[in-house]
Amino acid sequence: MRFKNTFLSITAAAAISGLSGSAIANNLPKINGVSSTDVTTVPYSPYIDLTLTVSGTSPLDLNQLASKAKINKLTLAFIQAPRDSGECTATWGGLYPLSWAKNDITSFESAHPGGLTASIGGQLAGATGETLAEVCGNPTDLENAYASIVQAYNTKHVDFDVEGAFLDNAAAIDRMALAIKKLQADNPDLAVSFTLPVMPTGLDTRGKNFVQKMREGGVIDFTVNIMAMDYGLQSPTRNMALDAEQAAENTSEQLGLPLSKISVTPMIGYNDTAFENSPSEIFTIVDAQQFYAWANQSKIHSIGAWSINRDHPCMGPKGTKPNNNCSDVPQGQYSFSSIFQGGNPTPIKKAVTVNVTFDLAGSYYSKEVYLDGEATPEMIPVTDDKGQFKVFEGAHTLTFTN
């Protein structure tokens, strides 16, 4: 859409934070004298919620994202059955068929061989989707649904995110174990991981029972990815890096698995519980540095993050719940991703306020603002002839759409 008499004027600038990336980097924690930049990098595969990255009829260009964030692995979330359909069919979030994202996903896998993990399940199952193991009535149908994911994307790694009420469904868990056993037999090179909720003390009884059921059902090789987040512990201060480290060590001991079979995924920035009853549950840049140093020294299997969608600074005031598109803590673009790959925090840029003035005569109007071809972290509605919003300093291209 073309706009008449469109011009921009930068009217004010204000620093988001007094800490620059270099200032944070100069104060990085060391563990036994080892800093995060002194050790070999453990693999990093952040989650991306594909259903939050919809633009028209397809998701975000994953290769473009990989280039910007300087990553070569992604964990794609979440594959579920359609809600209330009774269909044993793998879809993205219960909304989109596997074909919806196929071009972007296979292109990413081709550019980054072995870098794709497809995550099945998730806490959101029950909103628009349901867990496949609950919908598929027998192990054969369930294995076929799992196999359709492997075949669609030629992925070498499937992750099963199991949490919430699903952990109480014994029949579904039994079906799941048998289906995964068959999936492994048919795909001997396929890596399997189980993502489970955790406390600093380790897995709860349901989590331990789930892993035991997988073993009893014949799942022969797997890693366990713990969700180091949302503990809900009501303490005035928390060291979220230390909590994650203790959770990994305790889970390793509980399951009799070496740390090389344990992955850890923190929720970067404000956790859900930080807005509820645990205001200190905030995974900061400093936490990321401390945890990364420990993870490499301890040689854990991999580091994740929930999520790369949130690995951005927020442009507006903090709300009453976590933002899906930013971390709610001072950071530069993709700072957590940089840290979790052995780098320093990216610079914290200043925010500038931009006044946009344009002629809305006739049918010309704008509802959404896109910055450099991407939707702004928070979609800013423009309701009259002037809109004010914040962008990062530097030259940008603005596109107005209806």
Side-chain angles (χ1 to χ4, degrees):
M1 168 175 271
R2 180 177 61 86
F3 278 82
K4 302 176 182 177
N5 303 325
T6 301
F7 65 91
L8 305 179
S9 61
I10 297 178
T11 59
I16 292 178
S17 172
L19 279 179
S20 66
S22 59
I24 295 176
N26 291 334
N27 290 280
L28 305 184
K30 292 194 174 187
I31 298 179
N32 296 331
V34 180
S35 79
S36 64
T37 56
D38 296 332
V39 288
T40 303
T41 302
V42 69
Y44 170 61
S45 182
Y47 281 82
I48 178 171
D49 187 341
L50 284 188
T51 61
L52 285 180
T53 58
V54 178
S55 176
T57 58
S58 66
L60 181 70
D61 185 324
L62 299 179
N63 283 326
Q64 181 184 62
L65 170 64
S67 176
K68 288 183 177 181
K70 298 180 173 60
I71 58 175
N72 56 20
K73 296 180 183 295
L74 275 173
T75 300
L76 311 184
F78 286 111
I79 296 176
Q80 303 163 354
R83 176 71 175 169
D84 295 331
S85 68
E87 297 177 10
C88 179
T89 305
T91 67
W92 290 105
L95 298 171
Y96 308 105
L98 296 182
S99 60
W100 162 74
K102 187 171 183 177
N103 289 341
D104 284 331
I105 293 173
T106 55
S107 176
F108 177 85
E109 175 64 21
S110 296
H112 308 280
L116 167 69
T117 299
S119 187
I120 304 164
Q123 178 65 34
L124 294 181
T128 57
E130 296 181 84
T131 305
L132 279 165
E134 293 181 298
V135 176
C136 302
N138 61 74
T140 299
D141 289 345
L142 181 57
E143 193 271 336
N144 287 338
Y146 292 158
S148 72
I149 300 163
V150 176
Q151 293 163 4
Y153 306 129
N154 193 31
T155 180
K156 302 300 187 291
H157 182 186
V158 288
D159 170 61
F160 296 90
D161 186 298
V162 287
E163 49 186 306
F166 177 79
L167 285 167
D168 296 315
N169 192 330
I173 290 172
D174 287 341
R175 283 194 296 274
M176 185 177 183
L178 294 174
I180 294 173
K181 176 185 177 180
K182 179 68 162 53
L183 185 71
Q184 288 183 311
D186 292 344
N187 301 273
D189 296 328
L190 183 68
V192 170
S193 60
F194 298 116
T195 294
L196 292 160
V198 75
M199 297 291 286
T201 53
L203 300 176
D204 64 11
T205 299
R206 296 188 308 165
K208 290 184 289 185
N209 289 343
F210 172 85
V211 174
Q212 183 60 28
K213 283 287 188 180
M214 292 299 108
R215 286 169 163 160
E216 292 173 354
V219 179
I220 57 175
D221 189 26
F222 56 87
T223 57
V224 171
N225 174 39
I226 58 172
M227 293 182 280
M229 62 185 81
D230 288 341
Y231 307 120
L233 298 174
Q234 299 183 32
S235 58
T237 59
R238 297 215 64 79
N239 182 329
M240 292 292 281
L242 181 60
D243 285 339
E245 295 159 18
Q246 292 176 338
E249 290 171 344
N250 288 324
T251 300
S252 170
E253 182 176 352
Q254 288 173 324
L255 300 179
L257 290 174
L259 282 171
S260 60
K261 289 283 191 179
I262 303 294
S263 299
V264 182
T265 296
M267 181 173 181
I268 56 178
Y270 270 67
N271 283 212
D272 300 280
T273 48
F275 290 86
E276 297 166 3
N277 59 355
S278 305
S280 61
E281 293 189 355
I282 304 168
F283 196 92
T284 66
I285 292 294
V286 173
D287 287 318
Q289 290 284 0
Q290 177 183 330
F291 174 73
Y292 175 80
W294 173 87
N296 280 276
Q297 189 178 33
S298 301
K299 295 181 173 58
I300 68 171
H301 185 265
S302 65
I303 299 173
W306 182 262
S307 63
I308 201 165
N309 306 74
R310 304 183 72 243
D311 198 3
H312 308 279
C314 293
M315 306 299 276
K318 183 165 63 68
T320 58
K321 60 182 180 180
N323 197 308
N324 288 326
N325 298 305
C326 58
S327 67
D328 287 304
V329 298
Q331 68 159 103
Q333 290 280 33
Y334 301 117
S335 270
F336 286 96
S337 293
S338 177
I339 292 166
F340 286 152
Q341 296 178 102
N344 290 324
T346 54
I348 298 177
K349 294 185 177 182
K350 296 178 180 179
V352 294
T353 299
V354 177
N355 285 329
V356 183
T357 304
F358 44 83
D359 183 357
L360 292 180
S363 61
Y364 294 117
Y365 65 99
S366 173
K367 288 183 178 178
E368 297 177 351
V369 178
Y370 285 75
L371 174 63
D372 297 336
E374 293 185 358
T376 51
E378 296 174 359
M379 300 302 290
I380 309 297
V382 180
T383 56
D384 52 22
D385 65 343
K386 292 185 179 181
Q388 186 179 78
F389 55 96
K390 289 185 177 181
V391 299
F392 293 116
E393 62 184 347
H396 301 287
T397 301
L398 293 176
T399 305
F400 302 91
T401 69
N402 64 356

